[in-house]
Amino acid sequence: MDQIIIQGGRPLRGEVRTSGAKNAALPILASTILGGGECVLSNMPRVVDVLTMGKLLGMLGISVAQEANHTIVEAQAVASTEAPYDLVRTMRASVLVLGPLVARLGEAKVSLPGGCAIGSRPVNFHLAGLEKMGATVEIEHGYIKATARRLKGARIYFDTPSVTGTENLMMAAVLAEGTTVLENAAKEPEISDLAAFLTKRGARITGAGTDMITIEGVTGLHGADHAVIPDRIEAGTYLVAGAITGGEVVIDDCRPEHMEPLLMKLRESGVELIEEKERIRLKVTGRLKGTNVRTSPHPGFPTDMQAQFVALMSVAEGTSVVTETIFESRFMHVEELRRMGADIRVEGNRVVITGKERLTGAPVMASDLRASAGLIVAGLAAEGTTEVSRVYHLDRGYERLEEKFRALGASVERRKGK
């Protein structure tokens, strides 16, 4: 089992480029199922989840070719409608092939998803929406089975905004007969990026990025070229790393407008930020101050930045409260941060943090993707050596993380497991 070994205490300095957004790349890849024609996708992150989605498309009979700077996908013929357990169990986003398969081929058999152990993330929104669009949906032996001659437009309301639910039903509606309206839809930038790609292919979508998305069904899609948006969570992780080490860093190829809640909280804690069109400059000149955070759906503070921000607050002056409203089991990194000397107590769905002047290196174990990033961020600021185990989680969502941190002056190495 691989480990990340960090010698902490070095302020980060320099420039780092943000990769493409994993959470935009995955639904975009799934959406290629909807029609033939060559799709040339650039700024695709080379991370395990994206490679897994490529393998899944290949198992469906879709051609996926990785070139030097882009990925070429051709879905002229789809040979299978089954997404098997062996692949889906490793990545929840595999369920995103459900809507496109039913919309284009009239049937789908998709294993119930797995992924990070950070709480219940049911697919009931996806299934109820497909049923409203006329599909027959059953769950048998761990698989979702859905069939429909042709989906029909419908008005669908989400009790709670669901990112993958919004994406799956938006894709299904693209080829449905009539108009579909998604109310209380999720508003994440990755959904807008998916809509932009589908529109280039001939879909008729309005309202993406708002809580009401309207899709007028079409009979087919063609190919298109598209560049995936930058990863706002990766960019945010580098910002927090620069802040926790008292550094001075520049984040290139990012979208500051996608990161406003995080930037606001960093400023509240005393971080100096300069925003440019696709660049953010960060500088820290003194000890940071504690501030409170409450995660919520976009445009609120992202749950995927919660672990990193908890690490940051563990060395900020004063007391901070971080409240998690999205996932009920997303504080598993807290016990590991305590091993590094952090003063944190869990109270239901929130943590109360009393900042220490410094953390100390320790062996720790990651429980999920963003917890991995949070522990590495903490290790960068800690005195001595931090060993982070189970970093296979990290490889699902961060491209060349060690290399990028080393370019900023960090001592970060990967120790290969036996």
Side-chain angles (χ1 to χ4, degrees):
M1 185 182 298
D2 288 5
Q3 292 180 310
I4 299 292
I5 312 300
I6 307 156
Q7 301 294 332
R10 301 183 182 187
L12 300 188
R13 303 191 187 281
E15 297 188 15
V16 62
R17 179 189 171 276
T18 308
S19 299
K22 169 186 83 87
N23 289 338
L26 294 174
I28 284 172
L29 282 171
S31 76
T32 61
I33 294 170
L34 289 167
E38 185 177 85
C39 296
V40 181
L41 306 173
S42 57
N43 204 35
M44 293 284 285
R46 297 284 290 174
V47 297
V48 169
D49 276 8
V50 171
L51 297 177
T52 299
M53 183 63 82
K55 289 179 184 177
L56 176 54
L57 294 181
M59 293 184 71
L60 298 176
I62 296 167
S63 171
V64 182
Q66 182 63 50
E67 303 293 339
N69 298 313
H70 51 265
T71 301
I72 301 174
V73 185
E74 172 57 73
Q76 191 65 44
V78 181
S80 173
T81 58
E82 180 175 342
Y85 170 75
D86 284 346
L87 275 182
V88 176
R89 69 182 176 85
T90 66
M91 183 183 67
R92 289 193 57 85
S94 301
V95 77
L96 289 169
V97 304
L98 177 65
L101 285 172
V102 177
R104 183 176 176 189
L105 300 174
E107 62 180 271
K109 181 181 178 182
V110 179
S111 173
L112 287 167
C116 282
I118 57 172
S120 175
R121 291 184 284 179
V123 295
N124 55 301
F125 291 126
H126 310 240
L127 309 188
L130 287 174
E131 287 179 331
K132 283 193 173 182
M133 297 172 74
T136 299
V137 180
E138 300 175 329
I139 297 179
E140 294 181 354
H141 308 295
Y143 278 82
I144 302 165
K145 295 182 179 179
T147 57
R149 288 190 176 181
R150 186 182 179 188
L151 296 174
K152 308 287 186 180
R155 200 170 192 94
I156 299 169
Y157 178 82
F158 294 95
D159 291 334
T160 302
S162 166
V163 175
T164 54
T166 298
E167 291 166 341
N168 223 341
L169 297 179
M170 183 169 70
M171 289 187 285
V174 163
L175 297 183
E177 182 182 348
T179 299
T180 299
V181 178
L182 306 179
E183 296 186 73
N184 199 28
K187 298 180 281 190
E188 273 68 8
E190 294 79 14
I191 292 172
S192 297
D193 202 35
L194 171 62
F197 173 60
L198 290 170
T199 300
K200 289 178 182 179
R201 300 191 66 195
R204 297 174 182 171
I205 302 172
T206 58
T210 75
D211 61 2
M212 183 174 291
I213 303 174
T214 302
I215 308 102
E216 296 179 26
V218 297
T219 56
L221 299 181
H222 50 73
D225 296 356
H226 186 74
V228 174
I229 59 172
D231 194 318
R232 60 195 170 101
I233 304 303
E234 184 192 14
T237 300
Y238 296 136
L239 286 172
V240 171
I244 200 172
T245 62
E248 188 172 351
V249 300
V250 177
I251 316 299
D252 288 321
D253 293 340
C254 64
R255 300 276 181 88
E257 67 272 20
H258 292 168
M259 304 165 63
E260 290 177 359
L262 173 63
L263 300 182
M264 180 182 70
K265 289 299 176 180
L266 287 173
R267 287 192 172 100
E268 284 183 13
S269 67
V271 176
E272 297 179 19
L273 296 172
I274 299 175
E275 298 177 40
E276 300 174 6
K277 185 177 181 181
E278 293 186 351
R279 172 180 289 189
I280 301 173
R281 299 179 182 272
L282 174 145
K283 184 177 182 180
V284 176
T285 56
R287 188 177 177 194
L288 301 179
K289 298 178 181 179
T291 188
N292 298 336
V293 158
R294 182 182 183 88
T295 67
S296 61
H298 190 80
F301 191 96
T303 181
D304 282 352
M305 283 302 305
Q306 180 253 103
Q308 301 92 308
F309 205 82
V310 168
L312 180 64
M313 291 297 96
S314 69
V315 297
E317 184 178 7
T319 300
S320 308
V321 178
V322 176
T323 304
E324 174 60 54
T325 71
I326 308 299
F327 297 121
E328 70 275 12
S329 301
R330 208 166 200 180
F331 286 136
M332 288 185 281
H333 49 283
V334 167
E335 287 298 327
E336 303 304 298
L337 289 172
R338 284 175 177 157
R339 291 173 53 79
M340 302 176 69
D343 184 350
I344 310 174
R345 69 179 187 272
V346 180
E347 298 179 349
N349 71 329
R350 69 176 194 166
V351 292
V352 180
I353 309 158
T354 302
K356 296 286 195 71
E357 287 194 10
R358 62 183 61 84
L359 300 176
T360 55
V364 293
M365 186 172 293
S367 56
D368 60 75
L369 169 57
R370 304 307 174 184
S372 304
L375 294 174
I376 289 173
V377 163
L380 292 172
E383 289 184 348
T385 303
T386 299
E387 300 176 359
V388 184
S389 299
R390 294 179 69 183
V391 294
Y392 60 85
H393 292 294
L394 190 79
D395 299 330
R396 291 183 47 232
Y398 289 91
E399 181 178 18
R400 299 183 293 108
L401 187 73
E402 309 99 280
E403 179 184 328
K404 291 184 178 183
F405 274 137
R406 285 196 296 270
L408 295 173
S411 175
V412 179
E413 300 292 340
R414 181 176 292 246
R415 179 188 293 163
K416 290 290 185 180
K418 295 181 180 179

